[in-house]
Amino acid sequence: MSNLKEECGLFGIFANETCDVASTAYYALFALQHRGQENCGIVVNDDGVFSSHKDIGLVEDVFMARDLQELGYGNMAVGHVRYGTTGINTQSNSQPMVVNHHKGRMAVAHNGNLVNSYELRQELELEGSIFHSTNDTEVIAYIITKERIKSASIEEAVERAMDKIEGAYSLVIMSPSKLIAVRDKHGFRPLCYGQRSDGAYIVASETCALDAVDAKYIRDLEPGEIVVFSKDDVKSIDTHMNTAPHKICIFEYLYFARPDSVIEGVSVHKSRMRAGACLAMEHPVQGDVVIGVPDSGISAAIGYAEQSGIPYGIGFIKNKYIGRTFIAPGQENREDKVMIKLNVLKDTVEGKRVVLVDDSIVRGTTIARIIKLVREAGATEIHVMSSAPPFMNPCYYGTDIDSKENLIACKMSTEEIAKAVGADSVGYLDINHLNMLLGTKPNEGYCHACFSGEYPTKEPEVTAKNRFEQKISEK
Protein backbone atom coordinates (compact mmCIF):
# COMPACT_ATOMS: atom_id res chain seq x y z
CA MET A 1 0.00 0.00 0.00
CA SER A 2 2.47 2.56 -1.24
CA ASN A 3 2.00 6.31 -0.95
CA LEU A 4 3.03 6.49 -4.59
CA LYS A 5 0.68 7.94 -7.08
CA GLU A 6 0.07 5.94 -10.15
CA GLU A 7 0.38 6.02 -13.85
CA CYS A 8 -2.33 6.55 -16.41
CA GLY A 9 -4.17 3.85 -18.31
CA LEU A 10 -4.72 3.84 -22.07
CA PHE A 11 -7.22 2.06 -24.26
CA GLY A 12 -8.10 2.05 -27.93
CA ILE A 13 -10.33 0.00 -30.22
CA PHE A 14 -10.42 -0.20 -34.02
CA ALA A 15 -13.35 -2.19 -35.43
CA ASN A 16 -14.11 -3.02 -39.05
CA GLU A 17 -17.82 -2.32 -38.56
CA THR A 18 -19.81 0.16 -36.51
CA CYS A 19 -20.45 -1.27 -33.06
CA ASP A 20 -20.80 -0.33 -29.39
CA VAL A 21 -17.20 0.79 -28.95
CA ALA A 22 -18.15 3.08 -26.04
CA SER A 23 -19.21 0.16 -23.85
CA THR A 24 -16.06 -1.75 -24.79
CA ALA A 25 -13.94 1.21 -23.72
CA TYR A 26 -15.96 1.53 -20.51
CA TYR A 27 -15.30 -2.10 -19.50
CA ALA A 28 -11.61 -1.78 -20.35
CA LEU A 29 -11.23 1.38 -18.26
CA PHE A 30 -12.69 -0.47 -15.30
CA ALA A 31 -9.88 -3.00 -15.70
CA LEU A 32 -7.34 -0.16 -15.84
CA GLN A 33 -8.82 1.87 -12.97
CA HIS A 34 -5.85 1.00 -10.73
CA ARG A 35 -3.60 3.07 -13.01
CA GLY A 36 -5.42 6.35 -12.40
CA GLN A 37 -8.28 7.46 -10.20
CA GLU A 38 -8.42 11.23 -10.71
CA ASN A 39 -10.00 11.63 -14.14
CA CYS A 40 -11.28 9.47 -16.97
CA GLY A 41 -12.71 9.86 -20.43
CA ILE A 42 -13.79 8.23 -23.69
CA VAL A 43 -13.86 9.62 -27.24
CA VAL A 44 -15.87 7.74 -29.89
CA ASN A 45 -15.28 8.08 -33.63
CA ASP A 46 -18.29 7.50 -35.87
CA ASP A 47 -17.13 7.96 -39.46
CA GLY A 48 -15.01 10.98 -38.56
CA VAL A 49 -17.50 12.53 -36.11
CA PHE A 50 -15.99 12.61 -32.61
CA SER A 51 -18.13 12.39 -29.46
CA SER A 52 -16.50 12.66 -26.05
CA HIS A 53 -17.30 12.46 -22.36
CA LYS A 54 -14.70 13.01 -19.66
CA ASP A 55 -14.56 14.39 -16.15
CA ILE A 56 -12.99 14.21 -12.70
CA GLY A 57 -13.66 10.96 -10.85
CA LEU A 58 -13.70 7.19 -11.08
CA VAL A 59 -15.06 5.36 -14.14
CA GLU A 60 -18.24 4.29 -12.34
CA ASP A 61 -18.90 7.88 -11.22
CA VAL A 62 -18.12 9.66 -14.48
CA PHE A 63 -20.03 7.35 -16.82
CA MET A 64 -23.74 6.74 -16.40
CA ALA A 65 -25.79 4.62 -18.83
CA ARG A 66 -27.04 7.75 -20.58
CA ASP A 67 -23.47 8.96 -21.13
CA LEU A 68 -22.56 5.78 -22.96
CA GLN A 69 -25.76 6.00 -25.00
CA GLU A 70 -24.98 9.59 -25.98
CA LEU A 71 -21.49 8.60 -27.07
CA GLY A 72 -23.20 6.25 -29.45
CA TYR A 73 -21.80 3.65 -31.80
CA GLY A 74 -18.72 3.95 -33.96
CA ASN A 75 -15.83 1.97 -35.34
CA MET A 76 -13.15 3.51 -33.09
CA ALA A 77 -12.76 4.77 -29.56
CA VAL A 78 -10.00 5.95 -27.26
CA GLY A 79 -10.21 5.79 -23.46
CA HIS A 80 -8.08 7.07 -20.60
CA VAL A 81 -7.85 6.93 -16.81
CA ARG A 82 -5.61 9.56 -15.29
CA TYR A 83 -3.43 10.21 -12.39
CA GLY A 84 -1.68 13.45 -13.27
CA THR A 85 2.04 13.87 -12.77
CA THR A 86 1.85 17.18 -14.61
CA GLY A 87 -1.00 19.62 -14.02
CA ILE A 88 -3.55 19.97 -11.27
CA ASN A 89 -6.67 17.84 -11.09
CA THR A 90 -9.26 19.71 -13.16
CA GLN A 91 -11.80 18.74 -15.80
CA SER A 92 -9.68 20.51 -18.44
CA ASN A 93 -6.82 18.11 -17.72
CA SER A 94 -8.99 15.05 -18.35
CA GLN A 95 -8.12 12.91 -21.33
CA PRO A 96 -8.36 11.89 -24.15
CA MET A 97 -7.59 15.32 -25.56
CA VAL A 98 -9.37 16.27 -28.78
CA VAL A 99 -7.71 18.66 -31.22
CA ASN A 100 -9.31 20.22 -34.32
CA HIS A 101 -6.85 21.26 -37.01
CA HIS A 102 -6.57 22.11 -40.69
CA LYS A 103 -6.44 18.47 -41.79
CA GLY A 104 -9.13 17.10 -39.51
CA ARG A 105 -9.51 15.96 -35.93
CA MET A 106 -7.34 14.01 -33.55
CA ALA A 107 -7.82 12.50 -30.09
CA VAL A 108 -4.76 11.80 -27.95
CA ALA A 109 -4.37 9.76 -24.75
CA HIS A 110 -0.99 9.73 -23.00
CA ASN A 111 0.73 7.77 -20.25
CA GLY A 112 4.08 9.04 -19.03
CA ASN A 113 5.91 12.30 -18.58
CA LEU A 114 8.05 14.36 -20.93
CA VAL A 115 11.36 15.75 -19.73
CA ASN A 116 11.25 18.66 -22.20
CA SER A 117 7.58 19.65 -21.96
CA TYR A 118 8.33 23.00 -20.32
CA GLU A 119 10.69 24.07 -23.09
CA LEU A 120 8.38 22.81 -25.83
CA ARG A 121 5.41 24.64 -24.36
CA GLN A 122 7.36 27.88 -24.18
CA GLU A 123 8.34 27.45 -27.82
CA LEU A 124 4.76 26.75 -28.89
CA GLU A 125 3.37 29.69 -26.93
CA LEU A 126 5.87 32.04 -28.57
CA GLU A 127 4.58 30.78 -31.92
CA GLY A 128 1.02 31.67 -30.94
CA SER A 129 -0.35 28.37 -29.58
CA ILE A 130 -3.06 28.77 -26.96
CA PHE A 131 -3.20 26.09 -24.24
CA HIS A 132 -6.41 25.10 -22.51
CA SER A 133 -4.90 22.63 -20.02
CA THR A 134 -1.82 22.41 -17.84
CA ASN A 135 -0.57 18.92 -18.69
CA ASP A 136 2.08 17.79 -21.13
CA THR A 137 -0.41 15.76 -23.20
CA GLU A 138 -1.54 18.99 -24.85
CA VAL A 139 2.09 19.74 -25.69
CA ILE A 140 2.33 16.36 -27.44
CA ALA A 141 -0.93 17.00 -29.29
CA TYR A 142 0.27 20.39 -30.51
CA ILE A 143 3.62 19.03 -31.68
CA ILE A 144 1.87 16.28 -33.65
CA THR A 145 -0.62 18.80 -35.08
CA LYS A 146 2.19 21.11 -36.11
CA GLU A 147 3.89 18.24 -37.94
CA ARG A 148 0.59 17.08 -39.45
CA ILE A 149 0.18 20.33 -41.38
CA LYS A 150 3.30 19.50 -43.40
CA SER A 151 3.02 15.70 -43.48
CA ALA A 152 1.31 13.38 -45.93
CA SER A 153 -0.29 11.26 -43.17
CA ILE A 154 -1.01 11.26 -39.46
CA GLU A 155 1.54 8.48 -38.89
CA GLU A 156 4.23 10.52 -40.62
CA ALA A 157 3.38 13.44 -38.33
CA VAL A 158 3.71 11.20 -35.27
CA GLU A 159 7.00 9.85 -36.56
CA ARG A 160 8.35 13.38 -36.97
CA ALA A 161 6.99 14.50 -33.60
CA MET A 162 8.97 11.72 -31.91
CA ASP A 163 12.14 13.53 -32.96
CA LYS A 164 11.14 16.43 -30.72
CA ILE A 165 9.43 14.99 -27.64
CA GLU A 166 11.71 13.45 -25.02
CA GLY A 167 10.96 11.26 -22.02
CA ALA A 168 8.31 8.69 -21.23
CA TYR A 169 5.24 8.41 -23.42
CA SER A 170 2.93 5.67 -24.48
CA LEU A 171 0.23 7.11 -26.72
CA VAL A 172 -3.03 6.09 -28.31
CA ILE A 173 -3.99 8.50 -31.09
CA MET A 174 -7.20 8.50 -33.11
CA SER A 175 -7.67 10.28 -36.42
CA PRO A 176 -10.87 10.21 -38.48
CA SER A 177 -9.72 7.00 -40.20
CA LYS A 178 -6.87 5.48 -38.16
CA LEU A 179 -5.94 4.34 -34.68
CA ILE A 180 -2.26 4.73 -33.81
CA ALA A 181 -0.35 3.26 -30.88
CA VAL A 182 3.05 4.67 -29.95
CA ARG A 183 5.73 3.80 -27.43
CA ASP A 184 8.75 5.99 -26.66
CA LYS A 185 12.19 4.82 -27.72
CA HIS A 186 13.12 3.67 -24.19
CA GLY A 187 9.81 1.86 -23.64
CA PHE A 188 9.34 3.36 -20.17
CA ARG A 189 5.61 2.63 -20.08
CA PRO A 190 3.86 -0.55 -21.23
CA LEU A 191 1.56 -0.80 -24.24
CA CYS A 192 0.22 -3.88 -25.99
CA TYR A 193 -2.46 -4.90 -28.47
CA GLY A 194 -4.73 -7.82 -29.20
CA GLN A 195 -7.74 -8.82 -31.25
CA ARG A 196 -11.31 -9.91 -30.55
CA SER A 197 -13.04 -12.76 -32.31
CA ASP A 198 -15.04 -10.21 -34.37
CA GLY A 199 -11.79 -8.83 -35.80
CA ALA A 200 -11.65 -5.63 -33.74
CA TYR A 201 -8.16 -4.61 -32.62
CA ILE A 202 -7.64 -3.55 -29.01
CA VAL A 203 -4.76 -1.43 -27.66
CA ALA A 204 -4.22 -1.17 -23.90
CA SER A 205 -1.67 -0.34 -21.24
CA GLU A 206 -2.00 -3.83 -19.73
CA THR A 207 -3.16 -7.27 -20.79
CA CYS A 208 -5.79 -7.28 -18.03
CA ALA A 209 -7.77 -4.78 -20.15
CA LEU A 210 -7.58 -7.12 -23.14
CA ASP A 211 -8.96 -9.90 -20.94
CA ALA A 212 -11.80 -7.64 -19.77
CA VAL A 213 -13.09 -7.17 -23.33
CA ASP A 214 -12.43 -10.75 -24.47
CA ALA A 215 -9.51 -9.89 -26.75
CA LYS A 216 -6.63 -12.26 -27.42
CA TYR A 217 -3.20 -10.80 -26.72
CA ILE A 218 -0.99 -10.47 -29.80
CA ARG A 219 2.11 -8.67 -28.58
CA ASP A 220 3.62 -5.69 -26.80
CA LEU A 221 4.72 -2.69 -28.81
CA GLU A 222 8.48 -2.46 -29.06
CA PRO A 223 10.23 0.62 -27.64
CA GLY A 224 10.13 3.31 -30.31
CA GLU A 225 7.50 1.52 -32.38
CA ILE A 226 4.46 3.07 -34.07
CA VAL A 227 1.60 0.71 -34.94
CA VAL A 228 -1.11 1.99 -37.29
CA PHE A 229 -4.54 0.32 -37.47
CA SER A 230 -6.61 1.13 -40.54
CA LYS A 231 -9.18 -0.52 -42.77
CA ASP A 232 -6.38 -1.54 -45.11
CA ASP A 233 -4.01 -3.27 -42.69
CA VAL A 234 -1.98 -3.13 -39.49
CA LYS A 235 1.33 -1.41 -40.15
CA SER A 236 4.42 -1.14 -37.97
CA ILE A 237 6.82 1.81 -38.31
CA ASP A 238 10.25 1.09 -36.88
CA THR A 239 12.13 4.35 -37.52
CA HIS A 240 12.73 4.99 -33.81
CA MET A 241 13.18 1.37 -32.75
CA ASN A 242 16.60 0.29 -31.43
CA THR A 243 17.73 3.90 -31.11
CA ALA A 244 18.02 3.94 -27.30
CA PRO A 245 18.49 1.46 -24.43
CA HIS A 246 15.33 -0.38 -23.40
CA LYS A 247 14.29 0.97 -19.98
CA ILE A 248 10.82 -0.11 -18.89
CA CYS A 249 9.95 1.21 -15.42
CA ILE A 250 10.73 -1.54 -12.91
CA PHE A 251 7.97 -0.22 -10.67
CA GLU A 252 5.40 -1.38 -13.20
CA TYR A 253 6.21 -4.87 -11.93
CA LEU A 254 6.56 -3.95 -8.26
CA TYR A 255 3.43 -1.84 -7.86
CA PHE A 256 1.69 -0.15 -10.78
CA ALA A 257 0.43 -3.04 -12.88
CA ARG A 258 -2.32 -5.43 -11.90
CA PRO A 259 -0.93 -8.82 -10.78
CA ASP A 260 -2.93 -10.65 -13.47
CA SER A 261 -1.24 -8.66 -16.24
CA VAL A 262 1.70 -9.83 -18.32
CA ILE A 263 4.15 -7.14 -19.44
CA GLU A 264 6.73 -7.92 -22.10
CA GLY A 265 6.28 -11.62 -21.49
CA VAL A 266 6.74 -11.41 -17.72
CA SER A 267 3.90 -12.22 -15.32
CA VAL A 268 3.50 -9.36 -12.84
CA HIS A 269 2.37 -11.80 -10.15
CA LYS A 270 5.40 -14.03 -10.64
CA SER A 271 7.80 -11.09 -10.71
CA ARG A 272 6.48 -9.98 -7.32
CA MET A 273 6.79 -13.49 -5.97
CA ARG A 274 10.42 -13.49 -7.08
CA ALA A 275 10.92 -10.17 -5.28
CA GLY A 276 9.55 -11.73 -2.10
CA ALA A 277 11.82 -14.76 -2.47
CA CYS A 278 14.82 -12.46 -2.85
CA LEU A 279 13.80 -10.62 0.32
CA ALA A 280 13.65 -13.89 2.22
CA MET A 281 17.21 -14.71 1.16
CA GLU A 282 18.50 -11.19 1.82
CA HIS A 283 16.70 -10.61 5.13
CA PRO A 284 15.97 -13.88 6.94
CA VAL A 285 14.14 -13.42 10.25
CA GLN A 286 12.57 -15.65 12.87
CA GLY A 287 8.86 -15.37 12.31
CA ASP A 288 5.60 -17.23 12.80
CA VAL A 289 3.55 -15.83 9.91
CA VAL A 290 4.05 -13.83 6.71
CA ILE A 291 1.34 -11.37 5.70
CA GLY A 292 1.11 -9.02 2.74
CA VAL A 293 -0.35 -5.54 2.56
CA PRO A 294 -3.17 -5.60 -0.04
CA ASP A 295 -3.02 -5.59 -2.93
CA SER A 296 0.45 -5.25 -4.38
CA GLY A 297 2.24 -6.70 -1.34
CA ILE A 298 0.41 -10.03 -1.40
CA SER A 299 2.31 -11.71 -4.24
CA ALA A 300 5.64 -10.73 -2.69
CA ALA A 301 4.48 -12.04 0.69
CA ILE A 302 3.63 -15.40 -0.87
CA GLY A 303 7.10 -15.49 -2.42
CA TYR A 304 8.72 -14.66 0.93
CA ALA A 305 6.73 -17.37 2.68
CA GLU A 306 7.57 -20.04 0.10
CA GLN A 307 11.28 -19.23 0.18
CA SER A 308 11.56 -18.87 3.97
CA GLY A 309 9.29 -21.72 5.00
CA ILE A 310 7.35 -19.40 7.30
CA PRO A 311 3.59 -19.93 6.81
CA TYR A 312 1.67 -17.37 4.79
CA GLY A 313 -1.47 -15.97 6.37
CA ILE A 314 -4.22 -13.56 5.39
CA GLY A 315 -3.46 -10.60 7.61
CA PHE A 316 -5.87 -7.97 6.35
CA ILE A 317 -9.40 -7.62 5.14
CA LYS A 318 -9.60 -4.81 2.63
CA ASN A 319 -12.61 -2.58 2.18
CA LYS A 320 -12.95 -2.73 -1.60
CA TYR A 321 -15.10 0.39 -1.73
CA ILE A 322 -12.30 2.70 -0.65
CA GLY A 323 -9.82 4.03 -3.22
CA ARG A 324 -6.09 3.73 -2.81
CA THR A 325 -4.62 5.72 0.06
CA PHE A 326 -3.15 8.48 -2.05
CA ILE A 327 -6.55 9.75 -3.19
CA ALA A 328 -7.09 11.56 0.11
CA PRO A 329 -6.07 15.19 -0.53
CA GLY A 330 -4.16 15.74 2.71
CA GLN A 331 -1.67 13.62 4.62
CA GLU A 332 -3.87 13.48 7.71
CA ASN A 333 -6.85 12.29 5.69
CA ARG A 334 -4.65 9.77 3.90
CA GLU A 335 -3.53 8.26 7.19
CA ASP A 336 -7.06 8.13 8.57
CA LYS A 337 -8.16 6.39 5.41
CA VAL A 338 -5.83 3.48 6.15
CA MET A 339 -7.91 2.66 9.20
CA ILE A 340 -11.16 2.33 7.29
CA LYS A 341 -9.54 0.67 4.31
CA LEU A 342 -7.77 -2.17 6.13
CA ASN A 343 -8.80 -4.25 9.11
CA VAL A 344 -6.39 -6.73 10.67
CA LEU A 345 -7.38 -10.38 11.12
CA LYS A 346 -6.54 -10.75 14.79
CA ASP A 347 -6.50 -14.54 14.65
CA THR A 348 -3.67 -14.42 12.11
CA VAL A 349 -1.29 -12.13 14.03
CA GLU A 350 -2.16 -12.31 17.74
CA GLY A 351 0.76 -13.55 19.81
CA LYS A 352 2.94 -14.06 16.72
CA ARG A 353 6.14 -12.76 15.20
CA VAL A 354 4.89 -11.18 11.98
CA VAL A 355 6.75 -10.65 8.72
CA LEU A 356 4.88 -7.79 7.04
CA VAL A 357 5.54 -7.44 3.30
CA ASP A 358 4.67 -4.27 1.39
CA ASP A 359 5.49 -3.09 -2.13
CA SER A 360 7.58 -0.12 -0.98
CA ILE A 361 8.25 2.44 1.73
CA VAL A 362 8.11 5.99 0.41
CA ARG A 363 7.37 8.55 3.13
CA GLY A 364 6.88 6.07 5.95
CA THR A 365 3.58 7.48 7.19
CA THR A 366 1.28 4.81 5.75
CA ILE A 367 3.41 1.84 6.81
CA ALA A 368 3.67 3.32 10.32
CA ARG A 369 -0.12 3.40 10.60
CA ILE A 370 -0.37 -0.20 9.31
CA ILE A 371 2.25 -1.37 11.82
CA LYS A 372 0.28 0.29 14.59
CA LEU A 373 -2.86 -1.63 13.54
CA VAL A 374 -0.97 -4.94 13.55
CA ARG A 375 0.55 -4.17 16.98
CA GLU A 376 -2.86 -3.38 18.38
CA ALA A 377 -4.11 -6.72 17.05
CA GLY A 378 -1.58 -8.51 19.28
CA ALA A 379 1.58 -9.10 17.19
CA THR A 380 4.64 -9.60 19.38
CA GLU A 381 7.16 -8.65 16.69
CA ILE A 382 6.80 -6.96 13.31
CA HIS A 383 9.50 -7.25 10.66
CA VAL A 384 8.73 -5.09 7.63
CA MET A 385 9.96 -6.15 4.20
CA SER A 386 9.83 -3.81 1.21
CA SER A 387 9.80 -5.50 -2.20
CA ALA A 388 11.36 -2.32 -3.62
CA PRO A 389 14.76 -0.83 -2.80
CA PRO A 390 14.88 2.49 -0.92
CA PHE A 391 13.55 5.47 -2.88
CA MET A 392 16.39 7.96 -3.10
CA ASN A 393 15.66 10.10 -6.16
CA PRO A 394 12.89 11.89 -8.07
CA CYS A 395 11.21 10.18 -11.01
CA TYR A 396 10.82 12.18 -14.20
CA TYR A 397 8.95 9.55 -16.20
CA GLY A 398 5.46 9.49 -14.76
CA THR A 399 5.72 8.48 -11.10
CA ASP A 400 4.83 11.30 -8.74
CA ILE A 401 8.12 11.64 -6.89
CA ASP A 402 9.34 15.13 -7.73
CA SER A 403 11.75 15.79 -4.86
CA LYS A 404 13.81 14.05 -2.20
CA GLU A 405 12.46 16.04 0.74
CA ASN A 406 9.62 13.61 1.60
CA LEU A 407 11.51 10.36 0.97
CA ILE A 408 12.23 8.75 4.31
CA ALA A 409 15.23 6.79 3.02
CA CYS A 410 16.95 10.08 2.16
CA LYS A 411 16.75 11.18 5.78
CA MET A 412 17.32 8.03 7.83
CA SER A 413 19.27 4.80 7.96
CA THR A 414 17.37 1.51 7.79
CA GLU A 415 17.65 1.12 11.56
CA GLU A 416 16.33 4.65 12.10
CA ILE A 417 13.45 3.98 9.73
CA ALA A 418 12.50 0.84 11.68
CA LYS A 419 12.41 2.85 14.89
CA ALA A 420 10.47 5.71 13.28
CA VAL A 421 7.72 3.48 11.87
CA GLY A 422 7.51 1.23 14.93
CA ALA A 423 8.92 -1.97 13.41
CA ASP A 424 11.35 -4.41 14.99
CA SER A 425 13.31 -4.43 11.73
CA VAL A 426 13.04 -3.20 8.15
CA GLY A 427 14.46 -4.88 5.07
CA TYR A 428 14.62 -3.53 1.52
CA LEU A 429 15.12 -5.45 -1.70
CA ASP A 430 18.73 -5.17 -2.86
CA ILE A 431 18.88 -2.93 -5.93
CA ASN A 432 21.36 -5.39 -7.46
CA HIS A 433 18.67 -8.08 -7.46
CA LEU A 434 16.02 -6.14 -9.40
CA ASN A 435 16.96 -8.05 -12.53
CA MET A 436 15.73 -11.27 -10.89
CA LEU A 437 12.17 -9.96 -11.17
CA LEU A 438 12.46 -10.01 -14.95
CA GLY A 439 14.99 -12.75 -15.52
CA THR A 440 17.49 -10.39 -17.18
CA LYS A 441 21.07 -9.38 -16.54
CA PRO A 442 21.65 -6.66 -13.90
CA ASN A 443 20.63 -3.18 -15.12
CA GLU A 444 19.52 -4.59 -18.46
CA GLY A 445 16.19 -3.54 -19.94
CA TYR A 446 14.67 -1.60 -17.04
CA CYS A 447 14.79 1.84 -15.42
CA HIS A 448 15.69 2.07 -11.73
CA ALA A 449 16.53 5.77 -11.57
CA CYS A 450 14.25 6.39 -8.56
CA PHE A 451 16.49 4.01 -6.61
CA SER A 452 19.89 4.60 -8.21
CA GLY A 453 19.79 8.11 -9.66
CA GLU A 454 20.95 6.76 -13.04
CA TYR A 455 18.62 8.50 -15.50
CA PRO A 456 18.28 7.20 -19.08
CA THR A 457 17.54 10.72 -20.37
CA LYS A 458 18.53 14.24 -19.51
CA GLU A 459 16.91 15.61 -16.36
CA PRO A 460 14.21 18.26 -16.88
CA GLU A 461 15.01 21.88 -16.10
CA VAL A 462 11.70 22.45 -14.27
CA THR A 463 10.27 19.55 -12.28
CA ALA A 464 7.33 20.80 -10.17
CA LYS A 465 4.06 19.02 -10.91
CA ASN A 466 2.27 22.37 -11.18
CA ARG A 467 4.98 23.96 -13.31
CA PHE A 468 2.49 25.20 -15.92
CA GLU A 469 0.22 26.69 -13.25
CA GLN A 470 3.26 28.48 -11.81
CA LYS A 471 4.18 29.68 -15.24
CA ILE A 472 0.73 31.16 -15.79
CA SER A 473 0.67 32.94 -12.43
CA GLU A 474 4.04 34.58 -13.09
CA LYS A 475 2.78 36.38 -16.20
Side-chain angles (χ1 to χ4, degrees):
M1 184 189 275
S2 170
N3 291 84
L4 283 176
K5 296 168 184 176
E6 309 196 26
E7 295 304 307
C8 298
L10 308 180
F11 176 79
I13 177 172
F14 184 94
N16 292 321
E17 304 292 339
T18 299
C19 59
D20 190 3
V21 290
S23 292
T24 301
Y26 175 73
Y27 297 136
L29 293 186
F30 258 107
L32 295 171
Q33 185 74 87
H34 60 287
R35 296 189 68 86
Q37 301 182 18
E38 284 189 355
N39 312 60
C40 61
I42 296 171
V43 179
V44 168
N45 181 351
D46 180 19
D47 196 25
V49 177
F50 286 20
S51 303
S52 68
H53 182 77
K54 53 186 179 177
D55 209 339
I56 298 169
L58 300 173
V59 175
E60 64 178 338
D61 297 325
V62 170
F63 291 98
M64 302 292 107
R66 66 178 180 274
D67 299 315
L68 296 174
Q69 290 171 359
E70 288 174 1
L71 284 172
Y73 279 40
N75 74 306
M76 280 186 273
V78 176
H80 188 269
V81 289
R82 177 181 185 263
Y83 170 73
T85 52
T86 304
I88 58 174
N89 185 23
T90 63
Q91 199 277 340
S92 64
N93 280 329
S94 301
Q95 297 185 45
M97 189 160 289
V98 177
V99 176
N100 297 305
H101 59 89
H102 174 67
K103 292 191 176 181
R105 280 187 166 185
M106 178 179 68
V108 181
H110 168 221
N111 173 25
N113 216 41
L114 300 185
V115 295
N116 65 336
S117 60
Y118 191 83
E119 298 90 329
L120 288 174
R121 180 161 170 152
Q122 282 186 315
E123 177 185 316
L124 289 164
E125 286 179 336
L126 289 172
E127 294 175 352
S129 297
I130 299 172
F131 286 82
H132 301 282
S133 72
T134 54
N135 62 54
D136 55 1
T137 305
E138 192 170 12
V139 173
I140 295 172
Y142 275 26
I143 294 292
I144 296 172
T145 300
K146 186 177 176 182
E147 296 299 329
R148 181 67 183 98
I149 302 302
K150 51 191 176 184
S151 300
S153 65
I154 179 67
E155 57 265 38
E156 181 186 334
V158 171
E159 190 177 358
R160 294 171 66 160
M162 290 177 70
D163 291 326
K164 298 185 177 180
I165 57 178
E166 299 176 16
Y169 56 89
S170 285
L171 306 171
V172 179
I173 302 164
M174 185 171 66
S175 76
S177 61
K178 298 172 184 176
L179 186 74
I180 300 174
V182 187
R183 203 167 170 211
D184 72 73
K185 62 185 179 180
H186 290 285
F188 284 110
R189 298 297 158 203
L191 197 62
C192 64
Y193 74 92
Q195 190 173 26
R196 288 194 316 204
S197 59
D198 63 359
Y201 284 99
I202 306 294
V203 179
S205 292
E206 295 183 34
T207 58
C208 64
L210 301 183
D211 297 336
V213 297
D214 200 24
K216 184 178 180 181
Y217 166 83
I218 295 177
R219 67 177 179 89
D220 291 75
L221 270 73
E222 296 294 329
E225 185 179 18
I226 302 170
V227 177
V228 184
F229 302 90
S230 68
K231 289 188 175 181
D232 297 325
D233 57 14
V234 177
K235 179 174 66 175
S236 173
I237 300 173
D238 62 3
T239 312
H240 293 277
M241 288 170 56
N242 302 313
T243 60
H246 182 194
K247 293 292 181 181
I248 189 166
C249 172
I250 193 65
F251 220 61
E252 290 285 351
Y253 296 93
L254 290 169
Y255 174 70
F256 291 136
R258 249 175 53 167
D260 53 330
S261 287
V262 177
I263 299 175
E264 296 186 346
V266 177
S267 161
V268 174
H269 169 64
K270 288 183 178 178
S271 69
R272 291 175 185 170
M273 285 186 64
R274 286 193 284 268
C278 287
L279 279 171
M281 292 185 283
E282 295 166 9
H283 304 286
V285 297
Q286 297 295 316
D288 301 307
V289 65
V290 180
I291 63 174
V293 179
D295 288 311
S296 46
I298 291 176
S299 297
I302 294 171
Y304 191 103
E306 288 185 357
Q307 180 65 38
S308 67
I310 301 171
Y312 170 78
I314 299 174
F316 300 95
I317 298 299
K318 180 181 177 182
N319 184 338
K320 297 180 180 180
Y321 303 99
I322 303 295
R324 290 200 175 187
T325 55
F326 65 78
I327 297 175
Q331 185 62 44
E332 184 178 346
N333 288 340
R334 184 187 295 121
E335 293 171 8
D336 290 342
K337 211 165 192 179
V338 173
M339 299 181 69
I340 61 171
K341 183 177 182 181
L342 294 180
N343 197 29
V344 182
L345 274 174
K346 191 173 181 179
D347 289 344
T348 301
V349 304
E350 188 175 22
K352 295 178 182 177
R353 299 167 295 177
V354 174
V355 180
L356 176 64
V357 183
D358 202 355
D359 55 73
S360 60
I361 302 171
V362 185
R363 300 173 182 87
T365 50
T366 300
I367 192 66
R369 192 61 73 97
I370 292 171
I371 290 167
K372 183 174 183 289
L373 294 176
V374 178
R375 288 270 189 215
E376 290 172 349
T380 58
E381 295 179 15
I382 301 175
H383 302 276
V384 174
M385 300 294 160
S386 166
S387 61
F391 280 93
M392 303 296 293
N393 304 278
C395 173
Y396 303 126
Y397 309 119
T399 306
D400 191 26
I401 308 173
D402 59 6
S403 74
K404 293 186 175 186
E405 62 186 36
N406 292 321
L407 302 178
I408 194 170
C410 290
K411 306 174 187 176
M412 303 179 185
S413 67
T414 303
E415 292 74 19
E416 290 170 335
I417 291 171
K419 184 176 180 181
V421 300
D424 291 276
S425 69
V426 169
Y428 287 95
L429 183 70
D430 189 329
I431 191 172
N432 296 310
H433 294 162
L434 282 171
N435 63 297
M436 294 185 180
L437 277 66
L438 308 182
T440 65
K441 295 178 181 178
N443 300 322
E444 183 179 279
Y446 58 91
C447 178
H448 50 71
C450 53
F451 308 128
S452 66
E454 298 172 9
Y455 295 103
T457 70
K458 71 173 186 178
E459 297 181 41
E461 295 179 10
V462 182
T463 61
K465 176 181 175 181
N466 63 340
R467 54 189 173 271
F468 296 137
E469 285 86 356
Q470 291 176 331
K471 188 163 179 282
I472 291 169
S473 65
E474 289 167 1
K475 292 185 177 180

